[in-house]
Amino acid sequence: KMVFEGKRAAELCRQLKDPEQNGGKTVGQIVEHLTSDPLVIWGWNPGEGRTLPPVEHKAFAVAMRAWADKGAACPE
């Protein structure tokens, strides 16, 4: 099970930003990980019989960078 499964957006956002839960990373480091780490990128090419994410990786990366650039606010 992936760490984001079953989480509401606010829960996931807080988890991503919490250094105690994210391996001590800054928001910038989290964005870098989510946009360029080979294992994360593999999720967009997981092989036959596996479900793809609902958004293309490029759009995901753009959205993550915009979120960070605008202060990485979490929804209520």
Side-chain angles (χ1 to χ4, degrees), residues 31 35 56-69:
V31 170
T35 59
E56 291 183 6
H57 183 262
K58 183 176 180 179
F60 171 75
V62 167
M64 288 302 299
R65 288 185 184 107
W67 170 72
D69 290 346

Side-chain angles (χ1 to χ4, degrees), residues 1-15:
K1 182 175 178 180
M2 301 301 286
V3 298
F4 53 81
E5 289 183 282
K7 302 246 178 175
R8 293 177 322 174
E11 292 173 307
L12 179 57
C13 182
R14 288 191 298 273
Q15 180 180 350

Side-chain angles (χ1 to χ4, degrees), residues 14-53:
R14 288 191 298 273
Q15 180 180 350
L16 285 173
K17 291 173 52 175
D18 182 354
E20 290 185 19
Q21 296 184 65
N22 74 14
K25 292 178 174 63
T26 65
V27 169
Q29 290 169 323
I30 289 293
V31 170
E32 180 66 22
H33 169 72
L34 294 174
T35 59
S36 65
D37 184 275
L39 183 57
V40 175
I41 294 170
W42 172 85
W44 278 268
N45 189 22
E48 188 176 331
R50 295 193 169 141
T51 304
L52 293 173

